[in-house]
Amino acid sequence: MKRLFLYPLGLVLIISMACALLPGSSSPTQTPVAPLPPANQPTELTMPTAAAALPTQPQPAQVMPTQTLPPAQSAQPTQSAQQQPTAASTQSTSFSDTFDLVNPNWTDTITSTTQAKPGHVYSTVATNDGFLIFTLLDKETYDYKFYKNPMPADVTMELKYYNTGSILDNGVALVCRANSDYSSWIEFRVSSQGNYDIFRYDKSLAAQYKHTYIDYLKGVADRNVISPFPTTENDIKASCIGPNLTFIFNDKQTVTTMKNDIMDGGFVGLGAMSGDSLPYIMKIDSFTASAK
């Protein structure tokens, strides 16, 4: 009787186990599926929203055309304006110096020499005791100083000076219409003996083995018009007015010429020249230039 009772009990257990293993069973003993994340927790589904906000930021594709423009093209208008200054913004209409102090408006000394060797030029130009002093210790040497700001083409100049060195083979000069690299200008020169010249200087002629100073006019001033003595001050004036070039010595004699092929404006300056007699010491008391 015990065995007959056990058979129905085993059958019930087998059926119960089989039901638990069947798919889709709603038995409360099954492991529940993992719950969905809370609604406010970011998931992969929120990424498109973040991507949609990106267009509000500057995009590389929008700035590339301006970044790839050649720098020279984008800056060209500003550079052109800087390279083409107007006459009103750069030209001076007057300039005067009594050499009581060192004046930064003068260029460094520009020297041309036919006899002094490179590295062995002993001539000097310096401001001292109210004078601009040219001390020329080299033969056939020409020293110049230029006012840094350009002047109009029509200009008058005045120079007051003392000759305190050798009275032979020397010269003092006024310069107008010099170009910006000081390779061309008009020069008015007179010696302590009264020999005068009005030149056109052209540095480019040196490459052709030609003389760089071309005479417009030359001559000798009247007797005692120019003083060679160190105690007497000389006063020379020069003007470039249109084609007219005028040279005045101590307000006693005037010479002029229209043989002139430099008509443009430019820079003004002064200079001193030595010959074979040394030393030549020229003391500039004052220099004045004014537009006409």
Side-chain angles (χ1 to χ4, degrees):
M1 290 296 293
K2 290 181 181 180
R3 290 182 180 178
L4 291 177
F5 174 76
L6 289 173
Y7 288 148
L9 181 59
L11 181 60
V12 171
L13 291 173
I14 291 172
I15 292 172
S16 299
M17 293 176 63
C19 291
L21 293 175
L22 286 176
S25 172
S26 58
S27 172
T29 61
Q30 290 181 342
T31 304
V33 179
L36 290 174
N40 60 351
Q41 179 177 343
T43 66
E44 293 182 358
L45 294 177
T46 62
M47 289 300 293
T49 303
L54 290 176
T56 61
Q57 303 296 325
Q59 298 300 303
Q62 296 173 351
V63 297
M64 282 299 290
T66 57
Q67 290 177 342
T68 56
L69 282 177
Q73 293 180 4
S74 61
Q76 186 173 0
T78 302
Q79 290 177 345
S80 297
Q82 292 175 350
Q83 293 171 359
Q84 299 176 4
T86 62
S89 64
T90 59
Q91 282 189 341
S92 293
T93 56
S94 65
F95 172 67
S96 181
D97 196 349
T98 56
F99 306 105
D100 295 316
L101 298 171
V102 175
N103 193 330
N105 288 314
W106 292 103
T107 64
D108 293 336
T109 303
I110 296 175
T111 298
S112 174
T113 180
T114 60
Q115 293 195 31
K117 296 181 180 180
H120 296 279
V121 177
Y122 301 104
S123 299
T124 62
V125 183
T127 300
N128 187 27
D129 197 24
F131 293 96
L132 180 66
I133 302 175
F134 287 75
T135 304
L136 300 183
L137 304 176
D138 307 282
K139 294 181 178 182
E140 295 292 337
T141 298
Y142 309 78
D143 281 345
Y144 297 91
K145 288 275 193 180
F146 291 89
Y147 175 49
K148 290 181 179 179
N149 293 335
M151 298 284 288
D154 290 349
V155 65
T156 64
M157 301 166 291
E158 182 177 9
L159 187 71
K160 295 182 179 182
Y161 68 96
Y162 294 87
N163 174 30
T164 61
S166 171
I167 63 174
L168 301 174
D169 301 323
N170 59 37
V172 60
L174 286 167
V175 174
C176 69
R177 295 182 182 175
N179 61 5
S180 59
D181 62 357
Y182 311 112
S183 63
S184 174
W185 62 69
I186 294 173
E187 179 173 326
F188 302 81
R189 185 189 304 177
V190 64
S191 75
S192 59
Q193 299 297 309
N195 299 306
Y196 65 82
D197 295 86
I198 302 178
F199 292 112
R200 174 173 67 89
Y201 173 75
D202 187 347
K203 184 179 179 180
S204 67
L205 295 175
Q208 306 173 35
Y209 301 100
K210 295 181 179 180
H211 202 289
T212 54
Y213 291 88
I214 300 94
D215 254 310
Y216 287 152
L217 180 70
K218 68 184 305 177
V220 181
D222 295 339
R223 185 179 179 86
N224 299 324
V225 168
I226 295 293
S227 174
F229 303 112
T231 56
T232 303
E233 184 176 63
N234 288 295
D235 184 335
I236 59 174
K237 299 180 179 72
S239 64
C240 302
I241 309 295
N244 297 299
L245 306 177
T246 303
F247 206 2
I248 304 173
F249 315 117
N250 286 320
D251 292 325
K252 297 178 180 179
Q253 184 178 353
T254 300
V255 296
T256 186
T257 180
M258 292 182 66
K259 187 179 179 182
N260 175 14
D261 50 8
I262 301 179
M263 302 300 295
D264 296 332
F267 297 82
V268 298
L270 55 88
M273 301 80 201
S274 65
D276 292 331
S277 299
L278 298 174
Y280 173 43
I281 302 172
M282 192 262 286
K283 299 170 67 173
I284 304 293
D285 190 14
S286 66
F287 171 88
T288 302
S290 59
K292 289 296 182 181

